[in-house]
Amino acid sequence: STYQQCYNLKTIPPINAPNATDSRNMFYLCYSLSDYSGSIDLSGVTTGYGMFSYCSSLRRLPPLDLSSMNTNTSMDLNTSTARFFYLNFNLRDVELNGLTRKVDLRQTQFDRDGLVKIFNSLGTAAGSQVINITAVPGAADLSAADLLIATNKGWTVTY
């Protein structure tokens, strides 16, 4: 909860904490945080519940190494351990490098290229995993080949 409820926070310093394991609610309710291009190294994080929830102005993030996320920290909005990007209506650019667990990006603003960038950054799904892109503008523009990027890694794409 390092920056939790910093409503007027517009930018953050580079974060270099590869040994951190818990980033719960780190930027929760940081309404003014928008285009962050600095670096974030939280590559050891296994618990990320609500990390960027309610960052309604957030448009861009640097690539995130999410390969350490485990089954208890799913980013699916329908579980009690979720809400990594909950209510991020302006989010349109991020890489989810190595992610192997559910992710819900519904109602974000990714275009086709942004979604393909995410599909390319995903790790191989750990079992049956879903990426939800319901009500995302670029979903309608995805080709069968685009969807294969994710499905060939074991993901189910819901839109």
Side-chain angles (χ1 to χ4, degrees):
S1 303
T2 308
Y3 300 98
Q4 183 174 346
Q5 296 179 320
C6 291
Y7 305 117
N8 295 316
L9 182 70
K10 293 182 181 178
T11 188
I12 53 178
I15 297 171
N16 185 19
N19 296 321
T21 59
D22 190 338
S23 65
R24 277 181 287 185
N25 298 323
M26 184 177 255
F27 300 102
Y28 182 80
L29 291 170
C30 291
Y31 301 130
S32 299
L33 185 61
S34 59
D35 292 345
Y36 179 68
S37 59
S39 62
I40 298 177
D41 183 356
L42 294 169
S43 54
V45 167
T46 59
T47 303
Y49 177 87
M51 185 169 173
F52 292 101
S53 287
Y54 297 97
C55 294
S56 55
S57 297
L58 186 62
R59 295 168 44 102
R60 290 177 179 80
L61 283 169
L64 301 173
D65 180 348
L66 301 177
S67 57
S68 294
M69 289 283 177
N70 64 37
T71 56
N72 297 322
T73 57
S74 167
M75 294 174 9
D76 177 12
L77 288 175
N78 297 317
T79 67
S80 61
T81 57
R83 300 180 181 229
F84 196 81
F85 292 119
Y86 187 63
L87 295 179
N88 289 56
F89 299 119
N90 288 303
L91 187 63
R92 62 194 68 213
D93 187 13
V94 69
E95 291 176 34
L96 306 176
N97 294 322
L99 182 66
T100 63
R101 304 294 173 188
K102 298 175 187 175
V103 62
D104 196 323
L105 297 172
R106 63 183 135 171
Q107 298 179 334
T108 56
Q109 292 301 309
F110 290 95
D111 61 13
R112 178 202 162 267
D113 291 340
L115 290 171
V116 169
K117 183 177 179 179
I118 288 173
F119 294 166
N120 281 315
S121 71
L122 293 171
T124 300
S128 178
Q129 302 298 327
V130 174
I131 181 167
N132 187 341
I133 56 171
T134 302
V136 175
D141 298 325
L142 292 170
S143 68
D146 296 335
L147 293 169
L148 277 175
I149 297 168
T151 58
N152 284 340
K153 294 179 183 183
W155 291 86
T156 299
V157 181
T158 305
Y159 59 102

